Amino acid sequence: ELTVMLLVDMSGSGRFGSVSRFKNELAAELCAVLAFSAIKNNDKVGLIIFTDEIELYIPPSKGRKHVLRVIREVLFFEPKGRGTNIPNALKFLNGVTKRRSVSFLVSDFMADDYETPLRIANRRHDVIAVPITDPREEQLPDVGLVSIRDAETGREVVVDTSNEHVCRDYARAAQQRAQKRDEIFRRTRVDAIHVRTDQPYVEALYKFFRMRERRIA
């Protein structure tokens, strides 16, 4: 009987997707799979939805009816905030979950200053990061002048996507951001399941749990 906690980032940047679905929609699918897997194992499931504040907390419990409520909230919840505060979510997790839990932190990790809170939370719980990425966050298509708005701050800029230097700088910044994030995971000893909006997530989940099985064996 484990306690599985789902920490879901519902900030403004999650309402973005350039392929077939938004990052928030992919997060909801993943949470549904994890939640149903948990009740199949007779585990408790809890939910924390956060932006720059704690938006919703559902205490861990068992049963199909409870899991359906968790999934419904992840699918249809309308957050008030637009920013991202991962340290606040991890601090809240430590405060409300006294028993050691398996905690899935589902986010695009477009945030700062979460390394120390992540390390502290991973000492008390088994924290698993689930970074969600969209291909347009890594590379710009050549479509001329484009107005881009930051979903969290509201700031708008006009970008010339036909400019080779602009696209190269954009891709380099995205790569550096991903490297910094993954280095934080390594330093804090947090396992990660990397998923993308343009790829099936089943293989990523399968590889992760196979890796965990081999580690335990």
Side-chain angles (χ1 to χ4, degrees), residues 78-92:
E78 292 292 336
K80 297 177 182 176
R82 295 192 303 179
T84 307
N85 193 330
I86 293 176
N88 190 42
L90 294 170
K91 182 179 178 181
F92 186 83

Side-chain angles (χ1 to χ4, degrees), residues 12-98:
S13 60
R15 294 189 287 274
F16 175 79
S18 63
V19 190
S20 59
R21 53 192 167 186
F22 293 152
K23 289 186 287 184
N24 279 353
E25 292 173 332
L26 177 55
E29 284 187 43
L30 282 166
C31 288
V33 170
L34 295 169
F36 276 118
S37 298
I39 62 165
K40 189 176 181 181
N41 291 325
N42 200 34
D43 299 331
K44 293 181 179 179
V45 181
L47 174 67
I48 298 171
I49 291 178
F50 69 95
T51 53
D52 44 13
E53 58 185 82
I54 302 301
E55 299 269 358
L56 177 70
Y57 170 58
I58 299 179
S61 189
K62 295 181 182 181
R64 184 180 179 85
K65 185 177 180 181
H66 173 77
V67 165
L68 289 174
R69 182 197 170 194
V70 167
I71 294 170
R72 186 170 61 248
E73 292 290 359
V74 175
L75 280 170
F76 301 112
F77 188 80
E78 292 292 336
K80 297 177 182 176
R82 295 192 303 179
T84 307
N85 193 330
I86 293 176
N88 190 42
L90 294 170
K91 182 179 178 181
F92 186 83
L93 169 70
N94 290 334
V96 297
T97 311
K98 303 304 180 184

Side-chain angles (χ1 to χ4, degrees), residues 25-214:
E25 292 173 332
L26 177 55
E29 284 187 43
L30 282 166
C31 288
V33 170
L34 295 169
F36 276 118
S37 298
I39 62 165
K40 189 176 181 181
N41 291 325
N42 200 34
D43 299 331
K44 293 181 179 179
V45 181
L47 174 67
I48 298 171
I49 291 178
F50 69 95
T51 53
D52 44 13
E53 58 185 82
I54 302 301
E55 299 269 358
L56 177 70
Y57 170 58
I58 299 179
S61 189
K62 295 181 182 181
R64 184 180 179 85
K65 185 177 180 181
H66 173 77
V67 165
L68 289 174
R69 182 197 170 194
V70 167
I71 294 170
R72 186 170 61 248
E73 292 290 359
V74 175
L75 280 170
F76 301 112
F77 188 80
E78 292 292 336
K80 297 177 182 176
R82 295 192 303 179
T84 307
N85 193 330
I86 293 176
N88 190 42
L90 294 170
K91 182 179 178 181
F92 186 83
L93 169 70
N94 290 334
V96 297
T97 311
K98 303 304 180 184
R99 288 183 57 188
R100 182 172 176 83
S101 69
V102 179
S103 298
F104 292 89
L105 177 54
V106 186
S107 173
D108 56 16
F109 287 88
M110 291 192 177
D112 298 310
D113 304 323
Y114 58 84
E115 180 172 351
T116 298
L118 188 60
R119 180 180 289 107
I120 293 171
N122 198 40
R123 287 172 183 164
R124 297 188 59 179
H125 306 280
D126 179 8
V127 178
I128 300 163
V130 187
I132 298 177
T133 305
D134 186 89
R136 289 294 169 257
E137 294 168 340
E138 299 174 330
Q139 193 169 12
L140 289 172
D142 185 357
V143 290
L145 291 174
V146 175
S147 178
I148 299 177
R149 182 173 65 88
D150 189 310
E152 297 193 8
T153 66
R155 180 172 173 264
E156 289 192 32
V157 294
V158 176
V159 176
D160 183 3
T161 61
S162 63
N163 187 309
E164 187 178 315
H165 298 291
V166 169
C167 292
R168 188 166 58 242
D169 290 345
Y170 182 91
R172 185 186 299 117
Q175 185 180 36
Q176 291 172 348
R177 184 170 60 245
Q179 288 173 344
K180 180 182 177 182
R181 176 200 65 203
D182 293 344
E183 183 59 35
I184 288 174
F185 294 159
R186 283 191 289 271
R187 288 198 298 261
T188 56
R189 297 185 179 182
V190 167
D191 288 336
I193 308 171
H194 294 269
V195 295
R196 299 171 56 92
T197 59
D198 61 337
Q199 296 177 3
Y201 58 83
V202 174
E203 184 67 20
L205 286 176
Y206 178 77
K207 286 182 178 179
F208 172 79
F209 287 112
R210 288 288 294 170
M211 178 271 291
R212 279 293 180 99
E213 286 180 0
R214 288 194 298 268

